[in-house]
Amino acid sequence: GRSNDNMLIRSTVALCCAVAASGFTAPSSPRRNARTTALPSTPVAEAESAASTTPCEGDRDILVRSARGEVTERTPVWLMRQAGRYMSAFRQYSDKYPFRERSETPGMAIELSLQCHRAYGMDGIIMFSDILTPLPTLGIDFDVIKGIGPVISTEVKTEEDVAKLGNAEDVDFDETLPFIREILGTLSKEAEEANTSLIGFVGSPFTLASYTIEGKSSKHCLDTKKMMMADETGESKAMSQFLDKIAVMIGNYACHQIECGAQVIQFFESWAHQASPKQFSEFAKPAAQKAMAIVKERYPDVPVIYFANGGSSYLELQRDMGADMIAVDWSVDMAEARKILGPDVPISGNIDPTVLFGTKEQIEQAVRDCIDKAGGPGNRHLLNLGHGVMQGTPEEAVGWLVDECRRYKGKDA
């Protein structure tokens, strides 16, 4: 009777306490594939999506493994500017809200990050943000003006100007950029749900310094080059001091992104085309190496990708960057890039973005050629464009590229 009931209750309670103490958690339910659940529910769309993006167990981290330099079961793919104005869904936001509002309002930034993955099923979700986003942590103000681009109002030209900037060692990113943790934290959960990886990114120090010095996009980067020359003669050390300050801040910012959920970090040297090989070696490269070393020292297992846009003319200088993978622009043949970097350097890239304005057959052939020249499917190669997706790119073209990359098994298959 009642004594037996009491014994049963006590036994049950004891068992529950033992299970709780052991740290056991029930297995979670299988994750859904974001692409197959988020597309319009028409029979044709569902059939096409299911055929081209059947989820595999390894999809969750295939991009991360490739970026680390591991051989993978196929070549993974994501695209620079995959969250961009080529998508009509994206333009519903970009036509209505200014850039900083979109990138610094968590709800909007999260949605804009996810749209392309829902539609095309790339192997990674990248946070919608900008390389200039962390500059205010040092007291550098900027805005992004439609039709003009970023404009920076804080002047940095002298050693005194650099000294006035904030202390790079003491930046509290949760206080100065509170939206980043919410954006990446939510995207981390979404990436797990979608069985894919989460990519974070930062601007490389030389690019951020040059942008600040010039105040806006610049054809010749003359002020920056004058500062580098003054630095070489010893007349003013403002350039190296500025690069050093940004390198520390950017290294810590990349670590902050990892702490918030990013599984891979790409460094964008967007203005590499402004540096000669000598200037790259003396200024851009050491600053990037310093920033990346901060990340690798703190998070050695998180892969770092380095992309020097316009830097293919001195690719041989990038073999020892300290990154896990080198991304190359579209101006160098992939086979030649492999040859220059050597067989031990994992590589990312590098289809010409204008190919996406071609036919389906041309796009698919470009995918196959790039993968073959990189050594075949899964040969420590992460497929990407050699620059960002261009405005006006047909949306279906992006789908053709992604699907062919995921499908392609090699020319002998």
Side-chain angles (χ1 to χ4, degrees):
R2 181 171 294 178
S3 62
N4 288 339
D5 289 342
N6 288 338
M7 284 180 63
L8 179 60
I9 291 169
R10 285 196 296 271
S11 299
T12 303
V13 170
L15 177 61
C16 290
C17 291
V19 169
S22 71
F24 173 82
T25 54
S28 58
S29 57
R31 300 289 176 183
R32 296 174 299 163
N33 179 272
R35 188 174 181 196
T36 56
T37 57
L39 282 171
S41 57
T42 64
V44 173
E46 287 178 0
E48 288 180 350
S49 178
S52 61
T53 60
T54 303
C56 299
E57 188 178 340
D59 286 355
R60 165 73 167 141
D61 67 345
I62 188 170
L63 186 149
V64 178
R65 288 183 282 122
S66 176
R68 274 198 201 116
E70 297 178 24
V71 173
T72 51
E73 54 275 21
R74 60 175 175 81
T75 297
V77 56
W78 75 278
L79 305 178
M80 290 182 277
R81 289 196 198 144
Q82 63 185 33
R85 286 176 288 178
Y86 71 97
M87 292 189 73
S88 60
F90 184 96
R91 291 194 300 273
Q92 290 176 15
Y93 289 82
S94 62
D95 290 345
K96 188 175 180 182
Y97 302 100
F99 179 84
R100 286 194 67 176
E101 186 175 350
R102 280 180 280 134
S103 63
E104 298 179 14
T105 303
M108 277 195 271
I110 291 162
E111 171 60 21
L112 293 172
S113 303
L114 293 173
Q115 287 174 342
C116 52
H117 188 269
R118 290 190 198 120
Y120 309 113
M122 294 90 167
D123 289 303
I125 294 167
I126 186 164
M127 168 179 66
F128 176 71
S129 186
D130 192 84
I131 61 171
L132 304 183
T133 294
L135 288 182
T137 67
L138 296 179
I140 299 169
D141 296 321
F142 79 96
D143 200 2
V144 181
I145 300 171
K146 194 167 184 178
I148 298 175
V151 175
I152 297 174
S153 54
T154 305
E155 185 170 292
V156 180
K157 296 285 195 300
T158 66
E159 292 182 22
E160 291 73 25
D161 292 337
V162 176
K164 288 177 192 171
L165 298 175
N167 186 338
E169 301 276 4
D170 296 338
V171 175
D172 182 339
F173 293 101
D174 279 326
E175 182 182 324
T176 53
L177 307 173
F179 46 88
I180 292 295
R181 185 174 294 278
E182 185 175 346
I183 293 168
L184 284 172
T186 302
L187 288 177
S188 178
K189 295 172 187 171
E190 293 281 353
E192 183 180 3
E193 182 76 17
N195 197 40
T196 195
S197 302
L198 178 58
I199 307 163
F201 74 94
V202 295
S204 214
F206 174 77
T207 292
L208 295 181
S210 301
Y211 228 129
T212 303
I213 292 162
E214 302 299 328
K216 60 184 185 306
S217 183
S218 173
K219 188 174 181 181
H220 300 294
C221 254
L222 189 56
D223 287 340
T224 302
K225 295 194 175 189
K226 285 178 180 177
M227 285 178 66
M228 286 192 282
M229 289 186 280
D231 201 290
E232 287 174 343
T233 64
E235 178 188 342
S236 167
K237 286 294 176 182
M239 189 68 190
S240 9
Q241 290 171 6
F242 192 23
L243 284 171
D244 191 66
K245 185 165 278 197
I246 292 182
V248 172
M249 183 273 285
I250 281 298
N252 289 333
Y253 179 49
C255 290
H256 178 69
Q257 290 188 24
I258 293 166
E259 288 154 14
C260 293
Q263 298 168 285
V264 182
I265 298 290
Q266 177 150 318
F267 275 70
F268 281 87
E269 195 73 89
S270 305
W271 283 22
H273 62 286
Q274 299 284 13
S276 68
K278 181 174 182 286
Q279 290 165 339
F280 178 79
S281 295
E282 292 180 3
F283 294 97
K285 182 177 179 177
Q289 287 175 315
K290 178 169 185 167
M292 290 189 286
I294 291 171
V295 181
K296 296 308 294 183
E297 184 178 347
R298 213 175 301 171
Y299 297 103
D301 295 330
V302 175
V304 170
I305 305 169
Y306 179 75
F307 174 57
N309 179 44
S312 292
S313 63
Y314 45 80
L315 205 50
E316 70 281 356
L317 300 176
Q318 297 173 46
R319 288 191 198 107
D320 59 348
M321 288 301 301
D324 298 275
M325 175 175 267
I326 297 296
V328 295
D329 62 37
W330 58 267
S331 67
V332 63
D333 183 80
M334 176 54 78
E336 183 65 17
R338 269 288 201 205
K339 185 178 174 183
I340 294 168
L341 289 171
D344 297 328
V345 177
I347 197 166
S348 176
N350 74 333
I351 295 172
D352 182 346
T354 63
V355 167
L356 290 173
F357 290 86
T359 65
K360 184 173 187 283
E361 291 71 26
Q362 287 172 318
I363 292 167
E364 291 174 345
Q365 188 62 52
V367 169
R368 294 191 293 269
D369 288 346
C370 190
I371 291 174
D372 288 341
K373 288 180 178 183
N379 188 23
R380 296 186 299 172
H381 171 220
L382 174 53
L383 189 75
N384 207 317
L385 300 176
H387 202 288
V389 182
M390 296 170 63
Q391 189 173 356
T393 296
E395 293 191 43
E396 62 183 356
V398 174
W400 293 336
L401 184 151
V402 172
D403 288 347
E404 182 63 13
C405 181
R406 292 174 66 94
R407 183 202 67 79
Y408 189 51
K409 300 291 187 285
K411 53 188 174 183
D412 298 326

